[in-house]
Amino acid sequence: MKPKMLVLMGGQGVGKGTFSQMLKELHDYVHIEIGGILRSLPKDSEISRIMAKGELVPDEKILEIIKSNIPDKSDKDVILDGFPRTMQQARWLVENYAKIFDIHVIYLDVPEEVMVARIQKRIREGGGRQDDANEQTIKNRLTNFWETTVPVIKWLSTVKEIKFSDIDVTSEVNENFKRIRNALEI
Ligand code: AMP
């Protein structure tokens, strides 16, 4: 049996990080959180400047980071959190990894109002990140999601080699997690 690759996709504040942590309590996944990896890079780098504006980091750099973090020749199950976000990233993932892993894309689906409310809550509770600080930055990230990543999610839902689940996560966290577990059959 091939190892599993869970691909958590969705806009700002849908809970990719929270659900990744909850999944890790159930099973020993290798969790690859691209946003966190990028945030750990030097603050004066070009990448940090791109992130502070809420723009997408170039595909080439992202693919290099993802490639070096996916375990080579291992039977470990993996969670990808925040990747892919562009069509080039998604095609690369399917071309290179669909034969090695059982890929299951989980689209954490919420309307834009819910995303905005959750980002505002994150700011109020003081967990705000550098890229939550500015209204224009938040707008750019939401625009990138709807204009660039939603078409990618739609395309992934049509790819035969992978499993795809569209999950409504507008309820409270435990109920949402139950729906994810149901979709994953765990
Ligand atoms: P996140 O923590 O997932 O919201 O990501 C924070 C920021 O990192 C994004 O606003 C982008 O600037 C950058 N980033 C994260 N993942 C990607 C990706 N797959 N492609 C391009 N840029 C990304």
Side-chain angles (χ1 to χ4, degrees):
M1 224 171 62
K2 293 188 274 187
K4 292 189 172 48
M5 177 180 274
L6 310 185
V7 182
L8 298 190
M9 298 186 72
Q12 312 306 307
V14 297
K16 296 188 289 286
T18 303
F19 296 125
S20 295
Q21 291 308 325
M22 292 170 89
L23 285 165
K24 281 172 70 180
E25 283 173 21
L26 296 180
H27 182 73
D28 183 23
Y29 292 100
V30 174
H31 177 207
I32 304 171
E33 190 216 344
I34 182 71
I37 297 171
L38 294 170
R39 274 188 290 280
S40 72
L41 297 175
K43 290 283 163 276
D44 58 352
S45 65
E46 178 57 22
I47 287 182
S48 291
R49 276 191 285 278
I50 293 172
M51 290 171 72
K53 287 189 273 180
E55 289 168 4
L56 290 171
V57 173
D59 286 333
E60 207 174 296
K61 185 72 201 165
I62 298 289
L63 297 184
E64 183 190 311
I65 294 174
I66 291 290
K67 190 167 191 283
S68 66
N69 278 275
I70 294 178
D72 235 5
K73 293 191 188 74
S74 136
D75 54 4
K76 281 238 169 185
D77 298 334
V78 171
I79 296 175
L80 286 184
D81 166 355
F83 175 92
R85 271 171 148 108
T86 67
M87 204 52 111
Q88 193 194 339
Q89 293 174 13
R91 287 190 194 284
W92 175 89
L93 181 70
V94 172
E95 273 164 29
N96 290 285
Y97 291 97
K99 283 200 176 66
I100 307 171
F101 288 92
D102 272 331
I103 300 180
H104 191 158
V105 173
I106 305 287
Y107 172 31
L108 304 171
D109 194 349
V110 303
E112 176 152 337
E113 313 82 86
V114 175
M115 290 184 205
V116 172
R118 289 189 184 163
I119 298 174
Q120 285 167 344
K121 181 164 177 267
R122 191 153 83 187
I123 296 169
R124 274 199 312 275
E125 289 174 354
R129 309 183 323 207
Q130 188 193 14
D131 56 355
D132 279 342
N134 171 307
E135 211 166 296
Q136 187 56 46
T137 301
I138 295 171
K139 266 198 196 128
N140 289 346
R141 284 154 63 209
L142 287 169
T143 303
N144 282 336
F145 176 69
W146 294 109
E147 291 183 0
T148 305
T149 306
V150 168
V152 173
I153 294 171
K154 289 205 173 116
W155 176 72
L156 285 166
S157 75
T158 68
V159 175
K160 286 195 188 61
E161 302 101 295
I162 64 179
K163 259 181 111 172
F164 181 91
S165 303
D166 181 334
I167 302 181
D168 172 341
V169 287
T170 50
S171 297
E172 58 84 31
V173 65
N174 289 313
E175 170 57 30
N176 293 337
F177 190 54
K178 218 186 275 173
R179 294 177 192 163
I180 293 171
R181 287 183 69 171
N182 278 341
L184 296 173
E185 297 174 38
I186 54 171

